[in-house]
Amino acid sequence: MARTLNNMLLRRWLLGSLLLIFCCSNISGQSIFESCPSCKIGVNLLRSMIASGKSVKEVVSLATGVCSFFSIQTPRVCAGIMNLVGADAVEAFNQTQMTTAEICSFILPNGCPDIIDKRYDWKVTFPSKPKPAEHPTVPPPPSAPRLKVLQITDIHYDPHYLEGANAECGEPLCCRATSGVPLSPTHAAGKWGDYRKCDTPKILLENALRHIAKTHKDIDYIIWTGDIPPHDSWNQTKEGNLEIIRETIQLMDTYFKDIPIYPSIGNHESCPVDSFAPLEAPPRRNMSWLYDALDVEWRRWLPDDTSTTIRHGAYYSVLQRPGLRLISVNSNYCSKNNFWLLKNSTDPAGQLAWLIEQLDDAETKGEKVHIISHMPPGQPDCIKVWSRNYYDIINRYEATIMAQFYGHTHYDEYEVFYDTKNFKRPLNVGYIAPSITPWENVNPGYRIYYVEGDHPNTTRSIIDHETWKIDLTDANRLEYPIWYRAYTARRAYGMNSLLPKDWDNLITRMSHDEDLFETYYRNYYRDSPVRPRCDVICQKELLCNLRSGRSSDIKNLCQNL
């Protein structure tokens, strides 16, 4: 009897956990399944339950109970997230044509064999003309004029942040009145924010924007790479997310009234989080509630001709100045947490086909391009087939794309892209900027870039970049944050330039120089006093991340590390 009961509980845990991967994975920050075998058991159990005639309500109720019983999350988090996305997740599993092995390869890209059915192994099509050139290998001349560009990312503004609230509530977001009473003064949220699972209070957000506007009066334009709402993903509504988005956009517009701002959409802008349904999704999940609202709000900064693609898929292309085009990509369409991709992952919203058209036109006109987006394509969060196609696009248009700019990770890092012939020649760089939010274990920060400016032979290359930050511990102790420049890339890492080959060489140097790697690791967390210790395994993982502009491809990109 006891063995039967234990087996039943195990089956229920596996089944519930499978749903929770899609419903809660971005909340918990990690996958519940740690191995391919457990994933396959869970998938088969879910499929057998659906096949037996269990209703969606029954499956969702079971998953909610499992979540609470095994304390995967608190009961209200379990109930909230399952109510938001449980039915959609069950529908996606019910309608997908993927095999169990393919689903687990999708869920655990680095933990399961790389298995992709031909029906899902789609490829973009390029124009039938030769590739004209390679990425520039000579840095801009020292006398070249410069543009000064600000990148802000991952604000995660929490209007309900409360000083003194419990910062160790055991949920994905704390520091609110609903987080319970702190057990001791050390558990209480600070005035300006907290290193634990707490997002950005309004007082910190306004202080950051005021400081930037006062300190950097010579900014030419701003790139804003998404994630505005907080991490209370189990408790959100469409109306609530739109209210936070509109309030934050108004703050940006107030502090940077006469500066062009170019936004991209983050995975937290949607409700449910990560859910970016394709055009053929059920009407209840139509994305027009978000895309139409963004088009209205972004119109203050963007030309009218961007409206069509924003309302279609939250992406756009704009000529920032003669010879420099900015393309904003909605990389949330590659998220493995977007369970709609189980049904059909083929170039959602036709975005990559459109991107090729934009790049091909820019190549013909001799324009240089900067791509801005939220999720870096090399992250394991990005499904392999989308990432590989995007990587091919970067390869084909390496002479046109001068740089890429991302957020999402909250860390201060980058990704190098290599020639797909042998993955040895570096040909592009994706810059990943630090977050404003301290969630979690990082100091708030932002990034300034110096871009090759206007002159006859400009390549629009990145000349240097610098990270600005505050020390949150000092801010809460002194009751006032002090923003300062933490480092500049070329000086901190001893780089002659910021060409792809220099960033690739930095990876090699860090693999042999412990002090250099430690400098990078401090900057990665913005010298947070609560950053975890980084052992040899951690070092290899971080260095591999720097080589990984293509997701889940350790074999090609990291074997030499």
Side-chain angles (χ1 to χ4, degrees):
M1 179 65 181
R3 179 176 295 179
T4 301
L5 179 61
N6 288 337
N7 287 340
M8 181 179 68
L9 288 174
L10 176 61
R11 288 166 62 87
R12 287 176 176 269
W13 181 86
L14 288 166
L15 176 56
S17 295
L18 179 69
L19 280 182
L20 289 165
I21 280 181
F22 289 93
C23 302
C24 303
S25 58
N26 74 312
I27 292 179
S28 63
Q30 60 185 8
S31 174
I32 296 170
F33 283 137
E34 297 298 335
S35 71
C36 232
S38 63
C39 176
K40 291 177 180 178
I41 293 172
V43 171
N44 288 330
L45 282 172
L46 176 58
R47 287 184 146 171
S48 65
M49 189 173 187
I50 294 173
S52 71
K54 295 291 184 182
S55 68
V56 171
K57 184 177 180 180
E58 288 176 302
V59 177
V60 170
S61 176
L62 172 61
T64 304
V66 168
C67 177
S68 299
F69 183 82
F70 288 99
S71 299
I72 296 172
Q73 288 291 345
T74 63
R76 68 172 185 156
V77 173
C78 294
I81 197 65
M82 290 307 302
N83 286 336
L84 275 173
V85 300
D88 292 337
V90 171
E91 179 180 337
F93 269 94
N94 192 30
Q95 296 185 12
T96 183
Q97 298 181 37
M98 288 185 182
T99 67
T100 296
E102 289 162 0
I103 291 175
C104 288
S105 180
F106 182 97
I107 295 172
L108 299 174
N110 288 329
C112 291
D114 188 3
I115 302 174
I116 302 179
D117 188 291
K118 290 183 178 179
R119 292 170 296 180
Y120 296 90
D121 192 18
W122 50 275
K123 296 185 184 300
V124 294
T125 302
F126 294 99
S128 57
K129 62 179 185 180
K131 180 177 175 178
E134 295 182 350
H135 194 91
T137 57
V138 178
S143 60
R146 299 183 175 193
L147 302 174
K148 187 174 182 179
V149 180
L150 165 68
Q151 183 181 4
I152 291 179
T153 194
D154 294 87
I155 288 175
H156 291 290
Y157 161 47
D158 185 3
H160 302 294
Y161 184 96
L162 179 64
E163 179 184 357
N166 186 13
E168 296 191 8
C169 67
E171 293 185 335
L173 184 65
C174 301
C175 297
R176 293 175 155 194
T178 56
S179 300
V181 178
L183 297 179
S184 72
T186 60
H187 290 188
K191 177 179 181 179
W192 294 95
D194 200 282
Y195 290 119
R196 288 160 287 195
K197 290 188 176 182
C198 304
D199 272 322
T200 305
K202 187 171 184 177
I203 188 174
L204 174 61
L205 174 56
E206 289 210 83
N207 179 272
L209 300 182
R210 189 182 304 114
H211 151 77
I212 294 170
K214 181 179 179 180
T215 305
H216 306 285
K217 297 180 182 295
D218 53 345
I219 293 173
D220 289 284
Y221 63 88
I222 298 168
I223 53 179
W224 184 13
T225 47
D227 266 12
I228 299 171
H231 285 85
D232 62 334
S233 305
W234 73 94
N235 191 42
Q236 292 178 342
T237 64
K238 294 177 181 178
E239 295 75 17
N241 274 19
L242 288 177
E243 184 178 345
I244 290 173
I245 290 169
R246 289 178 178 131
E247 182 180 354
T248 309
I249 286 176
Q250 185 57 53
L251 284 173
M252 292 286 287
D253 194 40
T254 298
Y255 283 99
F256 306 113
K257 196 65 180 176
D258 300 318
I259 302 176
I261 299 178
Y262 302 98
S264 60
I265 184 173
N267 60 306
H268 278 264
E269 270 74 297
S270 187
C271 180
V273 66
D274 288 314
S275 180
F276 292 83
L279 300 179
E280 64 271 17
R284 72 178 186 277
R285 289 305 181 211
N286 187 286
M287 295 302 299
S288 61
W289 70 271
L290 176 59
Y291 294 170
D292 290 358
L294 289 179
D295 179 46
V296 171
E297 296 299 323
W298 290 355
R299 191 70 62 83
R300 69 190 74 199
W301 302 312
L302 302 177
D304 291 343
D305 62 5
T306 61
S307 178
T308 300
T309 54
I310 291 172
R311 288 176 179 257
H312 179 73
Y315 53 84
Y316 65 87
S317 174
V318 62
L319 191 66
Q320 202 285 320
R321 65 204 312 112
L324 176 59
R325 179 166 296 277
L326 298 185
I327 299 180
S328 181
V329 170
N330 183 356
S331 55
N332 302 297
Y333 279 126
C334 87
S335 173
K336 70 181 180 67
N337 298 323
N338 184 6
F339 43 78
W340 296 106
L341 299 181
L342 284 173
K343 297 171 64 175
N344 182 12
S345 68
T346 304
D347 194 10
Q351 180 178 215
L352 294 187
W354 168 86
L355 177 60
I356 290 172
E357 291 176 359
Q358 293 296 312
L359 292 170
D360 205 65
D361 186 57
E363 179 182 271
T364 300
K365 294 177 179 177
E367 297 170 350
K368 299 301 182 184
V369 170
H370 289 175
I371 293 178
I372 64 174
S373 191
H374 177 66
M375 182 184 298
Q379 289 290 306
D381 286 353
C382 185
I383 63 170
K384 290 175 281 191
V385 64
W386 195 98
S387 181
R388 289 169 182 173
N389 277 284
Y390 184 84
Y391 204 87
D392 289 343
I393 293 173
I394 300 298
N395 262 257
R396 168 58 184 81
Y397 294 100
E398 62 169 293
T400 297
I401 304 167
M402 291 297 102
Q404 306 162 62
F405 305 89
Y406 303 100
H408 186 61
T409 71
H410 297 194
Y411 301 119
D412 191 320
E413 51 184 330
Y414 64 96
E415 291 179 351
V416 178
F417 292 68
Y418 298 86
D419 192 325
T420 52
K421 292 179 180 178
N422 54 22
F423 296 97
K424 291 183 178 180
R425 181 176 65 88
L427 53 76
N428 222 286
V429 176
Y431 294 94
I432 304 174
S435 61
I436 292 289
T437 182
W439 191 102
E440 63 178 321
N441 296 333
V442 296
N443 275 315
Y446 64 87
R447 177 76 61 73
I448 294 288
Y449 299 91
Y450 295 97
V451 179
E452 187 178 5
D454 302 329
H455 68 93
N457 298 314
T458 182
T459 62
R460 307 297 183 184
S461 296
I462 308 302
I463 296 174
D464 206 351
H465 75 61
E466 56 192 38
T467 290
W468 289 64
K469 53 160 276 192
I470 64 168
D471 186 303
L472 195 56
T473 300
D474 286 347
N476 286 326
R477 179 173 57 86
L478 301 173
E479 297 193 349
Y480 194 82
I482 299 174
W483 292 89
Y484 63 95
R485 184 172 57 192
Y487 78 96
T488 60
R490 289 175 62 176
R491 181 180 302 171
Y493 302 129
M495 303 171 71
N496 294 324
S497 71
L498 299 194
L499 292 171
K501 63 181 181 180
D502 296 292
W503 286 112
D504 176 60
N505 184 48
L506 176 60
I507 300 171
T508 302
R509 290 192 291 130
M510 285 195 291
S511 68
H512 300 291
D513 188 331
E514 287 287 337
D515 291 338
L516 184 60
F517 177 83
E518 181 57 31
T519 297
Y520 170 77
Y521 189 64
R522 285 198 307 270
N523 292 333
Y524 183 81
Y525 279 96
R526 275 89 77 199
D527 205 18
S528 166
V530 294
R531 66 184 183 274
R533 179 179 174 272
C534 192
D535 58 16
V536 173
I537 294 175
C538 162
Q539 291 180 31
K540 288 182 178 180
E541 181 178 348
L542 290 186
L543 293 176
C544 181
N545 289 345
L546 299 182
R547 289 185 56 88
S548 298
R550 189 161 100 159
S551 71
S552 307
D553 196 6
I554 295 174
K555 178 180 178 181
N556 282 313
L557 298 170
C558 300
Q559 58 183 348
N560 292 333
L561 291 176

